[in-house]
Coordinates of all heavy atoms in Angstrom, one line a residue:
M250 N 0.3 -10.1 2.1 CA -1.1 -9.9 2.4 C -1.3 -8.5 2.9 O -0.5 -8.0 3.7 CB -1.6 -11.0 3.4 CG -1.6 -12.4 2.8 SD -2.2 -13.6 4.0 CE -3.9 -13.4 3.8
Y251 N -2.4 -8.0 2.6 CA -2.8 -6.6 3.1 C -4.2 -6.6 3.8 O -5.0 -7.4 3.4 CB -2.9 -5.6 1.9 CG -1.6 -5.5 1.2 CD1 -1.4 -6.2 0.0 CD2 -0.6 -4.6 1.6 CE1 -0.2 -6.0 -0.7 CE2 0.6 -4.5 1.0 CZ 0.8 -5.2 -0.2 OH 2.0 -5.1 -0.9
Y252 N -4.3 -5.8 4.8 CA -5.6 -5.6 5.4 C -5.9 -4.1 5.2 O -5.2 -3.3 5.8 CB -5.6 -6.0 6.9 CG -6.9 -5.9 7.6 CD1 -7.7 -7.0 7.8 CD2 -7.5 -4.7 7.9 CE1 -8.9 -7.0 8.4 CE2 -8.7 -4.6 8.5 CZ -9.4 -5.8 8.7 OH -10.7 -5.7 9.3
L253 N -6.9 -3.8 4.5 CA -7.2 -2.5 4.1 C -8.4 -2.0 4.9 O -9.5 -2.6 4.8 CB -7.5 -2.3 2.6 CG -7.9 -1.0 2.1 CD1 -6.8 0.1 2.3 CD2 -8.2 -1.1 0.6
L254 N -8.3 -1.0 5.8 CA -9.3 -0.5 6.6 C -9.7 0.8 6.1 O -8.9 1.8 6.0 CB -8.9 -0.4 8.1 CG -9.9 0.0 9.1 CD1 -11.0 -1.1 9.2 CD2 -9.3 0.1 10.5
L255 N -11.0 0.9 5.7 CA -11.5 2.1 5.0 C -12.7 2.7 5.8 O -13.3 2.1 6.6 CB -12.1 1.8 3.6 CG -11.1 1.1 2.6 CD1 -11.9 0.6 1.5 CD2 -10.1 2.2 2.2
T256 N -13.0 4.0 5.5 CA -14.2 4.6 6.0 C -15.4 4.0 5.3 O -15.3 3.4 4.2 CB -14.2 6.1 5.8 OG1 -14.0 6.4 4.5 CG2 -13.1 6.8 6.6
T257 N -16.6 4.2 5.8 CA -17.8 3.6 5.3 C -18.0 4.1 3.8 O -17.9 5.2 3.5 CB -19.0 4.1 6.1 OG1 -18.8 3.7 7.5 CG2 -20.3 3.4 5.7
N258 N -18.4 3.1 3.0 CA -18.8 3.4 1.6 C -17.7 4.0 0.8 O -18.0 4.8 -0.1 CB -20.1 4.2 1.5 CG -21.3 3.5 2.1 OD1 -21.4 2.3 2.0 ND2 -22.1 4.2 2.9
R259 N -16.5 3.8 1.1 CA -15.3 4.3 0.4 C -15.0 3.4 -0.8 O -14.6 2.2 -0.5 CB -14.1 4.5 1.3 CG -12.9 4.9 0.7 CD -12.8 6.4 0.7 NE -11.6 6.9 0.1 CZ -10.9 7.9 0.6 NH1 -11.5 8.7 1.5 NH2 -9.8 8.3 0.0
P260 N -15.1 3.8 -2.0 CA -14.7 3.0 -3.1 C -13.2 2.8 -3.2 O -12.4 3.7 -2.7 CB -15.2 3.7 -4.3 CG -15.3 5.1 -3.9 CD -15.6 5.1 -2.4
V261 N -12.7 1.7 -3.7 CA -11.3 1.4 -3.8 C -10.9 1.4 -5.3 O -11.5 0.7 -6.1 CB -10.9 0.0 -3.2 CG1 -9.5 -0.2 -3.4 CG2 -11.3 0.0 -1.7
D262 N -9.9 2.2 -5.6 CA -9.4 2.2 -7.0 C -8.2 1.2 -6.9 O -7.1 1.6 -6.5 CB -8.9 3.6 -7.4 CG -8.4 3.7 -8.8 OD1 -7.9 2.6 -9.3 OD2 -8.3 4.8 -9.3
F263 N -8.4 0.0 -7.3 CA -7.4 -1.1 -7.2 C -6.2 -0.8 -8.1 O -5.1 -1.2 -7.7 CB -8.0 -2.4 -7.4 CG -8.8 -2.9 -6.3 CD1 -10.2 -2.9 -6.3 CD2 -8.2 -3.5 -5.2 CE1 -11.0 -3.3 -5.2 CE2 -8.9 -3.9 -4.1 CZ -10.3 -3.9 -4.1
K264 N -6.4 -0.2 -9.2 CA -5.3 0.2 -10.1 C -4.4 1.2 -9.4 O -3.1 1.0 -9.3 CB -5.8 0.7 -11.4 CG -4.7 1.0 -12.4 CD -5.3 1.4 -13.7 CE -4.2 1.7 -14.8 NZ -4.8 2.1 -16.0
K265 N -5.0 2.2 -8.8 CA -4.2 3.2 -8.0 C -3.5 2.6 -6.8 O -2.4 2.9 -6.5 CB -5.1 4.4 -7.6 CG -4.4 5.5 -7.0 CD -5.3 6.7 -6.7 CE -4.6 7.8 -6.0 NZ -5.6 8.9 -5.7
L266 N -4.3 1.7 -6.1 CA -3.7 1.1 -4.9 C -2.5 0.2 -5.3 O -1.5 0.2 -4.6 CB -4.8 0.3 -4.2 CG -4.4 -0.5 -3.0 CD1 -3.9 0.4 -1.9 CD2 -5.5 -1.4 -2.5
A267 N -2.6 -0.5 -6.3 CA -1.5 -1.4 -6.8 C -0.3 -0.5 -7.1 O 0.8 -0.9 -6.7 CB -1.9 -2.2 -8.0
A268 N -0.5 0.6 -7.7 CA 0.7 1.5 -8.0 C 1.3 2.0 -6.7 O 2.5 2.1 -6.6 CB 0.2 2.7 -8.9
Q269 N 0.5 2.4 -5.7 CA 1.0 2.8 -4.4 C 1.8 1.8 -3.7 O 2.7 2.0 -3.0 CB -0.2 3.4 -3.6 CG -0.8 4.6 -4.1 CD -2.0 5.0 -3.3 OE1 -2.8 4.2 -2.8 NE2 -2.3 6.3 -3.2
L270 N 1.4 0.5 -3.9 CA 2.0 -0.6 -3.2 C 3.1 -1.2 -4.1 O 3.8 -2.2 -3.7 CB 1.0 -1.7 -2.9 CG -0.1 -1.3 -2.0 CD1 -1.2 -2.4 -1.9 CD2 0.5 -1.0 -0.6
N271 N 3.4 -0.6 -5.3 CA 4.4 -1.0 -6.2 C 4.2 -2.5 -6.6 O 5.2 -3.3 -6.5 CB 5.8 -0.8 -5.6 CG 6.9 -0.8 -6.6 OD1 6.7 -0.5 -7.8 ND2 8.1 -1.2 -6.2
T272 N 3.0 -2.8 -6.9 CA 2.7 -4.2 -7.4 C 1.8 -4.1 -8.6 O 1.3 -3.0 -8.9 CB 2.1 -5.0 -6.3 OG1 2.0 -6.4 -6.7 CG2 0.7 -4.5 -5.9
S273 N 1.4 -5.2 -9.2 CA 0.5 -5.2 -10.3 C -0.9 -5.3 -9.8 O -1.2 -6.0 -8.8 CB 0.8 -6.3 -11.3 OG 0.5 -7.5 -10.8
R274 N -1.9 -4.8 -10.5 CA -3.3 -4.9 -10.2 C -3.7 -6.4 -10.1 O -4.5 -6.8 -9.3 CB -4.2 -4.2 -11.2 CG -5.7 -4.4 -11.2 CD -6.3 -4.1 -9.8 NE -7.7 -4.5 -9.8 CZ -8.1 -5.6 -9.2 NH1 -7.3 -6.5 -8.7 NH2 -9.4 -5.8 -9.1
S275 N -3.2 -7.2 -11.0 CA -3.5 -8.6 -11.0 C -3.1 -9.4 -9.7 O -3.6 -10.5 -9.5 CB -2.9 -9.3 -12.2 OG -1.5 -9.3 -12.2
K276 N -2.2 -8.8 -9.0 CA -1.8 -9.5 -7.7 C -2.6 -9.1 -6.5 O -2.5 -9.7 -5.5 CB -0.3 -9.2 -7.4 CG 0.6 -9.8 -8.4 CD 2.1 -9.7 -8.0 CE 2.9 -10.4 -9.0 NZ 4.3 -10.4 -8.6
L277 N -3.5 -8.1 -6.7 CA -4.4 -7.7 -5.6 C -5.7 -8.5 -5.8 O -6.4 -8.5 -6.8 CB -4.7 -6.2 -5.7 CG -3.6 -5.3 -5.4 CD1 -4.0 -3.9 -5.5 CD2 -3.0 -5.6 -4.0
R278 N -6.1 -9.2 -4.7 CA -7.3 -10.0 -4.7 C -7.8 -10.2 -3.3 O -7.0 -9.9 -2.3 CB -7.1 -11.4 -5.3 CG -6.1 -12.2 -4.5 CD -5.9 -13.6 -5.1 NE -4.9 -14.3 -4.4 CZ -5.0 -14.9 -3.2 NH1 -6.1 -14.8 -2.5 NH2 -4.0 -15.5 -2.6
F279 N -9.0 -10.6 -3.1 CA -9.5 -10.9 -1.7 C -9.0 -12.2 -1.3 O -8.8 -13.1 -2.0 CB -11.0 -10.8 -1.7 CG -11.6 -9.5 -2.0 CD1 -12.0 -9.1 -3.2 CD2 -11.6 -8.6 -0.9 CE1 -12.5 -7.8 -3.4 CE2 -12.1 -7.3 -1.1 CZ -12.6 -6.9 -2.4
A280 N -8.7 -12.3 0.0 CA -8.2 -13.5 0.6 C -9.3 -14.7 0.5 O -10.5 -14.4 0.5 CB -7.9 -13.3 2.1
T281 N -8.8 -15.9 0.3 CA -9.7 -17.0 0.3 C -10.1 -17.4 1.7 O -9.5 -16.9 2.7 CB -8.9 -18.2 -0.3 OG1 -7.9 -18.7 0.6 CG2 -8.4 -17.9 -1.7
E282 N -11.1 -18.2 1.8 CA -11.6 -18.6 3.1 C -10.5 -19.4 3.9 O -10.3 -19.2 5.1 CB -12.8 -19.5 2.9 CG -13.6 -19.8 4.2 CD -14.9 -20.4 4.0 OE1 -15.4 -20.4 2.8 OE2 -15.6 -20.7 5.0
I283 N -9.7 -20.2 3.1 CA -8.6 -20.9 3.8 C -7.5 -19.9 4.3 O -7.0 -20.1 5.4 CB -8.0 -21.9 2.8 CG1 -9.0 -23.0 2.5 CG2 -6.7 -22.5 3.3 CD1 -8.6 -24.0 1.4
E284 N -7.2 -18.9 3.5 CA -6.2 -17.9 4.0 C -6.7 -17.2 5.2 O -5.9 -16.9 6.1 CB -5.9 -17.0 2.8 CG -5.1 -17.6 1.7 CD -5.0 -16.7 0.5 OE1 -6.0 -15.9 0.2 OE2 -4.0 -16.8 -0.3
L285 N -8.0 -16.9 5.2 CA -8.5 -16.2 6.4 C -8.4 -17.0 7.6 O -8.0 -16.6 8.7 CB -10.0 -15.8 6.2 CG -10.2 -14.7 5.2 CD1 -11.7 -14.5 4.9 CD2 -9.6 -13.4 5.6
E286 N -8.8 -18.3 7.5 CA -8.7 -19.2 8.6 C -7.3 -19.4 9.1 O -7.0 -19.4 10.3 CB -9.3 -20.6 8.3 CG -10.8 -20.6 8.3 CD -11.4 -22.0 8.1 OE1 -10.8 -23.0 8.7 OE2 -12.4 -22.1 7.5
E287 N -6.4 -19.6 8.2 CA -5.0 -19.9 8.6 C -4.3 -18.7 9.1 O -3.4 -18.8 10.0 CB -4.2 -20.4 7.3 CG -4.6 -21.8 6.9 CD -3.9 -22.3 5.7 OE1 -3.2 -21.5 5.0 OE2 -4.0 -23.5 5.3
T288 N -4.6 -17.5 8.6 CA -3.8 -16.3 9.0 C -4.5 -15.6 10.2 O -3.8 -15.2 11.2 CB -3.7 -15.4 7.9 OG1 -3.1 -16.1 6.8 CG2 -2.7 -14.2 8.2
L289 N -5.8 -15.4 10.1 CA -6.5 -14.6 11.1 C -7.4 -15.4 12.0 O -7.9 -14.9 13.0 CB -7.4 -13.5 10.5 CG -6.6 -12.4 9.7 CD1 -7.5 -11.4 9.0 CD2 -5.7 -11.6 10.7
H290 N -7.6 -16.7 11.7 CA -8.5 -17.6 12.4 C -9.9 -17.1 12.5 O -10.6 -17.2 13.5 CB -7.9 -17.8 13.9 CG -6.5 -18.3 13.9 ND1 -6.1 -19.5 13.5 CD2 -5.4 -17.6 14.2 CE1 -4.8 -19.6 13.6 NE2 -4.3 -18.5 14.0
V291 N -10.3 -16.5 11.3 CA -11.7 -16.1 11.1 C -12.3 -16.7 9.8 O -11.5 -17.2 9.0 CB -11.8 -14.5 11.1 CG1 -11.4 -13.9 12.4 CG2 -11.0 -13.9 10.0
I292 N -13.6 -16.5 9.6 CA -14.2 -16.9 8.4 C -14.8 -15.7 7.7 O -14.9 -14.6 8.3 CB -15.3 -18.0 8.7 CG1 -16.4 -17.5 9.6 CG2 -14.7 -19.3 9.2 CD1 -17.6 -18.4 9.8
F293 N -15.3 -15.9 6.5 CA -16.0 -14.8 5.8 C -17.1 -14.3 6.6 O -17.8 -15.0 7.3 CB -16.5 -15.3 4.4 CG -15.5 -15.5 3.4 CD1 -15.4 -16.7 2.7 CD2 -14.7 -14.4 3.0 CE1 -14.5 -16.8 1.7 CE2 -13.8 -14.5 1.9 CZ -13.7 -15.8 1.3
G294 N -17.3 -13.0 6.7 CA -18.3 -12.4 7.5 C -17.8 -11.9 8.8 O -18.5 -11.2 9.5
I295 N -16.7 -12.4 9.2 CA -16.1 -12.0 10.6 C -14.7 -11.4 10.4 O -14.0 -11.4 11.3 CB -16.1 -13.2 11.5 CG1 -17.5 -13.9 11.6 CG2 -15.8 -12.8 12.9 CD1 -17.6 -15.1 12.4
V296 N -14.4 -10.9 9.3 CA -13.1 -10.3 9.1 C -13.1 -9.0 9.8 O -13.9 -8.1 9.5 CB -12.7 -10.2 7.6 CG1 -11.3 -9.6 7.4 CG2 -12.8 -11.6 6.9
T297 N -12.2 -8.8 10.7 CA -12.2 -7.6 11.6 C -10.8 -7.2 12.0 O -9.9 -8.1 12.1 CB -13.0 -7.9 12.9 OG1 -12.8 -6.9 13.8 CG2 -12.6 -9.3 13.5
P298 N -10.5 -5.9 12.2 CA -9.2 -5.6 12.6 C -8.8 -6.2 14.0 O -7.7 -6.3 14.3 CB -9.2 -4.0 12.7 CG -10.7 -3.7 12.6 CD -11.4 -4.8 12.0
L299 N -9.8 -6.6 14.7 CA -9.5 -7.2 16.1 C -9.0 -8.6 15.9 O -8.5 -9.1 16.9 CB -10.8 -7.1 16.9 CG -11.4 -5.7 17.2 CD1 -12.7 -5.8 18.0 CD2 -10.3 -4.9 18.0
A300 N -9.0 -9.1 14.7 CA -8.4 -10.4 14.5 C -6.9 -10.3 14.1 O -6.2 -11.3 14.1 CB -9.1 -11.2 13.4
L301 N -6.4 -9.1 13.9 CA -5.0 -9.0 13.5 C -4.0 -9.5 14.5 O -3.0 -10.0 14.0 CB -4.7 -7.5 13.2 CG -5.4 -7.0 11.9 CD1 -5.3 -5.5 11.8 CD2 -4.7 -7.6 10.7
P302 N -4.2 -9.5 15.8 CA -3.2 -10.1 16.7 C -3.1 -11.6 16.4 O -2.1 -12.2 16.8 CB -3.8 -9.9 18.1 CG -4.6 -8.6 17.9 CD -5.2 -8.7 16.5
N303 N -4.0 -12.3 15.7 CA -3.9 -13.7 15.4 C -2.9 -13.9 14.3 O -2.5 -15.1 14.1 CB -5.3 -14.2 14.9 CG -6.3 -14.2 16.1 OD1 -6.0 -14.3 17.2 ND2 -7.6 -14.2 15.7
D304 N -2.4 -12.9 13.6 CA -1.4 -13.0 12.6 C -0.1 -13.2 13.2 O 0.8 -12.2 13.2 CB -1.5 -11.9 11.6 CG -0.4 -11.9 10.5 OD1 0.1 -13.0 10.2 OD2 -0.1 -10.8 10.0
C305 N 0.2 -14.3 13.9 CA 1.4 -14.5 14.6 C 2.7 -14.5 13.7 O 3.8 -14.1 14.2 CB 1.4 -15.8 15.4 SG 0.1 -15.9 16.6
E306 N 2.5 -14.8 12.5 CA 3.7 -14.8 11.6 C 3.9 -13.4 10.9 O 4.8 -13.3 10.1 CB 3.5 -15.9 10.5 CG 3.5 -17.3 11.1 CD 3.3 -18.4 10.1 OE1 3.8 -18.2 8.9 OE2 2.8 -19.4 10.4
R307 N 3.0 -12.5 11.2 CA 3.1 -11.1 10.7 C 3.1 -11.1 9.1 O 4.0 -10.5 8.5 CB 4.3 -10.4 11.2 CG 4.1 -10.2 12.7 CD 5.2 -9.3 13.3 NE 4.9 -9.0 14.7 CZ 5.5 -8.1 15.3 NH1 6.4 -7.3 14.8 NH2 5.1 -7.8 16.6
K308 N 2.2 -11.9 8.5 CA 2.1 -11.9 7.1 C 1.3 -10.7 6.5 O 1.5 -10.4 5.4 CB 1.4 -13.2 6.7 CG 2.2 -14.5 6.9 CD 1.3 -15.7 6.4 CE 2.1 -17.0 6.6 NZ 1.3 -18.1 6.2
I309 N 0.5 -10.1 7.4 CA -0.4 -9.1 6.9 C 0.2 -7.7 7.2 O 0.7 -7.4 8.2 CB -1.7 -9.2 7.6 CG1 -2.3 -10.5 7.3 CG2 -2.7 -8.0 7.2 CD1 -3.6 -10.8 8.0
R310 N 0.1 -6.8 6.1 CA 0.5 -5.4 6.2 C -0.8 -4.6 6.3 O -1.6 -4.7 5.4 CB 1.3 -5.1 5.0 CG 1.9 -3.7 5.0 CD 2.8 -3.5 3.9 NE 3.0 -2.1 3.5 CZ 3.5 -1.7 2.4 NH1 3.9 -2.5 1.5 NH2 3.6 -0.4 2.2
V311 N -0.9 -3.8 7.3 CA -2.2 -3.1 7.6 C -2.1 -1.7 6.8 O -1.1 -1.0 7.0 CB -2.4 -2.9 9.1 CG1 -3.7 -2.0 9.3 CG2 -2.5 -4.2 9.8
L312 N -3.2 -1.4 6.1 CA -3.3 -0.2 5.4 C -4.5 0.6 5.9 O -5.6 0.0 5.9 CB -3.4 -0.4 3.9 CG -2.4 -1.3 3.2 CD1 -2.8 -1.6 1.8 CD2 -1.0 -0.7 3.2
L313 N -4.3 1.8 6.3 CA -5.4 2.6 6.9 C -5.7 3.8 6.0 O -4.8 4.5 5.5 CB -5.0 3.2 8.3 CG -4.6 2.2 9.4 CD1 -4.1 2.9 10.6 CD2 -5.8 1.3 9.7
D314 N -7.0 4.0 5.7 CA -7.4 5.1 5.0 C -7.2 6.4 5.8 O -7.5 6.4 7.0 CB -8.9 4.9 4.7 CG -9.6 6.0 3.9 OD1 -8.9 7.1 3.7 OD2 -10.8 5.9 3.6
A315 N -6.6 7.4 5.2 CA -6.2 8.6 5.9 C -7.4 9.3 6.5 O -7.3 10.0 7.5 CB -5.5 9.6 4.9
D316 N -8.6 9.1 5.9 CA -9.8 9.7 6.4 C -10.3 9.1 7.7 O -11.1 9.7 8.4 CB -11.0 9.6 5.4 CG -10.8 10.5 4.2 OD1 -10.0 11.5 4.3 OD2 -11.4 10.3 3.2
L317 N -9.7 8.0 8.1 CA -10.1 7.4 9.4 C -9.8 8.3 10.6 O -10.5 8.4 11.6 CB -9.4 6.1 9.6 CG -9.9 4.9 8.8 CD1 -8.9 3.7 8.9 CD2 -11.3 4.5 9.2
K318 N -8.7 9.1 10.4 CA -8.3 10.0 11.5 C -9.4 11.1 11.8 O -9.4 11.8 12.8 CB -7.0 10.7 11.2 CG -7.0 11.6 10.0 CD -5.6 12.1 9.7 CE -5.6 12.9 8.4 NZ -4.3 13.1 7.9
N319 N -10.3 11.3 10.8 CA -11.4 12.3 11.0 C -12.6 11.8 11.7 O -13.5 12.5 12.0 CB -11.8 12.8 9.6 CG -10.7 13.5 8.9 OD1 -9.8 14.2 9.5 ND2 -10.7 13.4 7.6
L320 N -12.6 10.5 12.0 CA -13.7 9.8 12.7 C -13.4 9.9 14.2 O -12.2 9.8 14.7 CB -13.8 8.4 12.3 CG -14.1 8.1 10.8 CD1 -14.1 6.6 10.6 CD2 -15.4 8.8 10.4
S321 N -14.4 10.0 15.0 CA -14.2 10.0 16.5 C -14.1 8.6 17.0 O -13.5 8.3 18.0 CB -15.4 10.7 17.2 OG -16.6 10.0 16.8
A322 N -14.7 7.6 16.2 CA -14.6 6.2 16.6 C -14.7 5.3 15.4 O -15.1 5.7 14.4 CB -15.7 5.9 17.6
I323 N -14.3 4.0 15.6 CA -14.3 3.0 14.6 C -15.1 1.8 15.2 O -14.9 1.4 16.4 CB -12.9 2.5 14.2 CG1 -12.1 3.7 13.6 CG2 -13.0 1.4 13.2 CD1 -10.7 3.4 13.4
S324 N -16.0 1.2 14.4 CA -16.7 0.1 14.9 C -16.2 -1.2 14.3 O -15.7 -1.2 13.1 CB -18.2 0.2 14.6 OG -18.5 0.3 13.3
A325 N -16.2 -2.3 15.1 CA -15.6 -3.5 14.6 C -16.3 -4.7 15.3 O -16.7 -4.6 16.4 CB -14.1 -3.6 14.8
H326 N -16.3 -5.8 14.6 CA -16.8 -7.1 15.2 C -15.7 -7.6 16.1 O -14.5 -7.6 15.7 CB -17.1 -8.1 14.2 CG -18.3 -7.8 13.3 ND1 -19.5 -7.5 13.8 CD2 -18.4 -7.8 12.0 CE1 -20.4 -7.3 12.8 NE2 -19.7 -7.5 11.7
P327 N -16.0 -8.0 17.3 CA -15.0 -8.6 18.2 C -14.8 -10.1 18.0 O -15.0 -11.0 18.8 CB -15.6 -8.4 19.6 CG -17.1 -8.4 19.4 CD -17.3 -7.8 18.0
N328 N -14.5 -10.4 16.7 CA -14.2 -11.8 16.2 C -15.5 -12.7 16.2 O -15.4 -13.9 16.0 CB -13.1 -12.5 17.0 CG -11.8 -11.8 16.8 OD1 -11.5 -11.2 15.7 ND2 -11.0 -11.7 17.8
V329 N -16.7 -12.1 16.4 CA -17.9 -12.7 16.1 C -18.8 -11.7 15.4 O -18.6 -10.5 15.7 CB -18.7 -13.2 17.4 CG1 -17.9 -14.4 18.0 CG2 -18.9 -12.1 18.3
N330 N -19.7 -12.1 14.5 CA -20.5 -11.1 13.8 C -21.8 -10.8 14.5 O -22.7 -10.2 13.9 CB -20.6 -11.4 12.3 CG -21.4 -12.7 12.1 OD1 -21.8 -13.4 13.1 ND2 -21.6 -13.1 10.9
T331 N -22.0 -11.2 15.7 CA -23.2 -10.9 16.4 C -23.1 -9.8 17.4 O -24.0 -9.5 18.2 CB -23.7 -12.2 17.2 OG1 -22.6 -12.6 18.0 CG2 -24.0 -13.3 16.2
A332 N -21.9 -9.2 17.4 CA -21.7 -8.0 18.3 C -20.8 -7.0 17.6 O -20.1 -7.3 16.7 CB -21.0 -8.5 19.6
T333 N -20.8 -5.8 18.2 CA -19.9 -4.8 17.6 C -19.3 -4.0 18.8 O -20.0 -3.8 19.8 CB -20.8 -3.8 16.8 OG1 -21.3 -4.5 15.7 CG2 -19.9 -2.7 16.1
V334 N -18.1 -3.6 18.7 CA -17.4 -2.8 19.7 C -17.1 -1.4 19.0 O -16.8 -1.4 17.8 CB -16.2 -3.4 20.3 CG1 -16.5 -4.6 21.1 CG2 -15.2 -3.7 19.3
I335 N -17.1 -0.4 19.8 CA -16.8 1.0 19.3 C -15.5 1.3 19.9 O -15.3 1.3 21.1 CB -17.9 2.0 19.7 CG1 -19.3 1.5 19.3 CG2 -17.5 3.4 19.1 CD1 -19.5 1.3 17.8
I336 N -14.5 1.7 19.1 CA -13.2 2.0 19.5 C -12.8 3.5 19.2 O -13.0 3.9 18.0 CB -12.1 1.1 18.9 CG1 -12.5 -0.4 19.1 CG2 -10.7 1.4 19.4 CD1 -11.8 -1.4 18.2
S337 N -12.4 4.2 20.1 CA -11.9 5.6 19.8 C -10.8 5.5 18.9 O -9.9 4.7 19.0 CB -11.5 6.4 21.1 OG -12.6 6.5 21.9
Y338 N -10.8 6.4 17.8 CA -9.7 6.4 16.9 C -8.4 6.9 17.6 O -7.4 6.4 17.5 CB -9.9 7.3 15.7 CG -8.8 7.2 14.7 CD1 -8.7 6.1 13.8 CD2 -7.8 8.2 14.6 CE1 -7.7 6.0 12.9 CE2 -6.8 8.1 13.7 CZ -6.7 7.0 12.8 OH -5.7 6.9 12.0

């Protein structure tokens, strides 16, 4: 499993990403609701990098867009979608 963190409105070229990850494009897909619940203990709409500590079995590999380093801060939901926290990069 992969968690891909991108800058705002950044399109993803899944064919290129698959090549970079040495896998086939057909193996890249979005997680199911069950996978999100079992791995990150979140539901659709609340997928956030702040849920990554819930991955106790370390099934998820985090991928960061290189352009994130150009941002002064990153915003994320704190495991609920009714609030946002701002984190310095």
Side-chain angles (χ1 to χ4, degrees):
M250 296 179 81
Y251 299 98
Y252 186 100
L253 179 59
L254 188 60
L255 301 167
T256 57
T257 305
N258 298 320
R259 176 87 178 215
V261 178
D262 181 339
F263 285 100
K264 186 175 180 179
K265 185 177 178 180
L266 179 62
Q269 290 172 328
L270 297 172
N271 199 29
T272 191
S273 69
R274 166 60 185 99
S275 63
K276 290 189 178 184
L277 293 180
R278 62 176 176 75
F279 291 98
T281 66
E282 194 165 351
I283 292 170
E284 290 169 329
L285 290 173
E286 280 188 39
E287 289 177 351
T288 308
L289 294 176
H290 308 288
V291 297
I292 59 173
F293 283 125
I295 308 178
V296 179
T297 170
L299 297 177
L301 288 167
N303 294 335
D304 178 21
C305 297
E306 296 179 32
R307 296 185 173 196
K308 292 181 178 180
I309 298 173
R310 185 170 157 198
V311 179
L312 307 173
L313 300 176
D314 181 352
D316 288 342
L317 288 170
K318 65 184 174 196
N319 299 325
L320 301 176
S321 59
I323 299 169
S324 60
H326 293 306
N328 296 327
V329 295
N330 63 0
T331 56
T333 301
V334 295
I335 308 298
I336 305 164
S337 297
Y338 184 80

